[in-house]
């Protein structure tokens, strides 16, 4: 089975940016691109049946945009009945990457993000890339390292993405010294970071890796680190994550406040 990138579209400028980014991601991977528009039928006696043709046109036009960005990529489009999150989570089962815009139609700044991107990142079966409307930067891929076993897939994704982009990888571990666990035998931040990226140089010999231990409030430090990045990669949950909290507070903060696109990678499907 070949690789597949899925992009969710809704006709907004944010979703157009997602289509452009998804086309480039598919091109880098030699993957197919599937453009998906999800909608829910209005129900009740007040509503006449909805004519789906404008929705088909929306998906078709987005697919045409993708072909212009990446002419060599095989692009398909589909209109699916259902909520955006449930449709895209289902689509993620057969995908290598799902791409969505940060804001949707009508876009109150956190509104669609709260209901779509965060929920999708928490439930997707593959990595989710949340795209900003600003054009791509040319900086490094920044990886937020927390040292958790769940974070290993994020490390792997970041190395692969840096290799595909021909970019430097900056592995960042942020910590608050005052909040370090008491007692001896605590891993130093430098050692934790080194262990997280160890063993991948052989598989990704062309990727230059820089390791940075940064001190400060974790979310603030990582948002600041995203300023000069072309992509920020984070795990869905960090150390000490509440089991019922599918998306950690750090990942959520990055989705809301990072200055570059953010990829969230779940540790377990």
């Amino acid at each position: 089975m070949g690789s597949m990138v899925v992009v969710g579209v809704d006709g907004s400028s944010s979703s157009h940016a997602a289509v452009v980014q998804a086309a480039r991601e598919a091109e880098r991977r030699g993957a197919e691109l599937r453009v998906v528009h999800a909608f829910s039928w209005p129900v009740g006696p007040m509503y006449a049946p909805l004519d789906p043709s404008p929705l088909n046109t929306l998906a078709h036009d987005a697919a045409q945009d993708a072909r212009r960005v990446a002419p060599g990529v095989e692009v398909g489009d589909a209109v699916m009945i259902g909520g955006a999150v449930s449709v895209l989570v289902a689509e993620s089962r057969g995908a290598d990457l799902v791409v969505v815009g940060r804001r949707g139609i009508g876009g109150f700044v956190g509104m669609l993000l709260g209901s779509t991107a965060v929920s999708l990142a928490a439930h997707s079966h593959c990595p989710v890339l949340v795209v900003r409307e600003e054009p791509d930067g040319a900086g490094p891929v920044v990886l937020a390292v927390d040292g958790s076993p769940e974070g290993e897939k994020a490390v792997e994704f970041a190395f692969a993405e840096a290799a595909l982009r021909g970019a430097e990888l900056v592995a960042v571990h942020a910590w608050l010294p005052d909040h370090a666990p008491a007692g001896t035998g605590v891993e130093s931040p430098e050692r934790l970071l080194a262990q997280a990226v160890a063993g991948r140089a052989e598989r990704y010999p062309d990727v230059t890796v820089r390791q940075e231990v940064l001190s400060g409030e974790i979310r603030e430090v990582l948002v600041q680190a995203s300023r000069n990045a072309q992509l920020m990669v984070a795990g869905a949950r960090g150390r000490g994550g509440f089991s019922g909290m599918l998306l950690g507070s750090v990942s959520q903060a990055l989705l809301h406040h990072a200055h570059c696109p953010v990829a969230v990678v779940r540790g377990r499907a």
Side-chain angles (χ1 to χ4, degrees):
M1 183 177 170
S3 55
M4 172 79 71
V5 173
V6 172
V7 59
V9 299
D10 61 9
S12 65
S13 58
S14 185
S15 123
H16 174 74
V19 168
V20 171
Q21 187 74 52
R24 290 176 179 150
E25 290 291 337
E27 188 173 46
R28 291 181 185 119
R29 289 168 164 75
E32 294 179 33
L33 178 63
R34 180 169 163 85
V35 178
V36 176
H37 176 63
F39 77 101
S40 299
W41 290 100
V43 294
M46 297 291 290
Y47 294 101
L50 183 65
D51 177 6
S53 54
L55 304 173
N56 290 329
T57 300
L58 187 156
H60 177 75
D61 288 350
Q64 289 293 86
D65 289 342
R67 293 183 185 101
R68 281 191 285 271
V69 172
V73 171
E74 185 176 331
V75 183
D77 58 270
V79 175
M80 310 292 286
I81 297 173
V85 173
S86 58
V87 165
L88 291 173
V89 167
E91 292 283 333
S92 75
R93 289 183 179 276
D96 296 273
L97 181 69
V98 174
V99 184
V100 291
R102 186 170 170 181
R103 291 165 56 180
I105 290 175
F108 289 107
V109 169
M111 185 65 78
L112 195 74
L113 180 61
S115 62
T116 300
V118 169
S119 296
L120 178 60
H123 294 93
S124 176
H125 299 277
C126 70
V128 173
L129 177 60
V130 180
V131 176
R132 295 172 58 86
E133 291 177 47
E134 291 79 2
D136 285 358
V141 172
V142 176
L143 166 66
V145 173
D146 60 29
S148 67
E150 290 82 5
E152 289 180 11
K153 284 191 176 180
V155 175
E156 182 65 28
F157 179 87
F159 268 88
E161 195 67 26
L164 287 169
R165 292 168 178 246
E168 181 186 29
L169 178 64
V170 179
V172 174
H173 177 62
W175 72 309
L176 273 173
D178 293 346
H179 292 203
T184 58
V186 177
E187 264 187 317
S188 74
E190 290 81 6
R191 181 171 171 77
L192 181 150
L193 186 54
Q195 287 181 336
V197 299
R200 288 180 170 84
E202 297 81 8
R203 272 182 293 159
Y204 299 100
D206 297 332
V207 175
T208 301
V209 183
R210 192 165 83 240
Q211 299 178 33
E212 292 186 0
V213 173
L214 302 175
S215 175
E217 201 283 319
I218 294 171
R219 285 164 290 195
E220 291 177 11
V221 165
L222 292 176
V223 168
Q224 187 64 30
S226 74
R227 282 190 178 277
N228 299 313
Q230 62 174 279
L231 176 69
M232 171 72 75
V233 180
R237 282 177 53 203
R239 284 190 163 182
F242 294 104
S243 58
M245 191 173 180
L246 290 172
L247 193 64
S249 59
V250 170
S251 306
Q252 291 201 44
L254 289 172
L255 287 179
H256 282 282
H257 302 298
H259 300 278
C260 66
V262 177
V264 177
V265 185
R266 286 184 66 199
R268 298 188 176 97

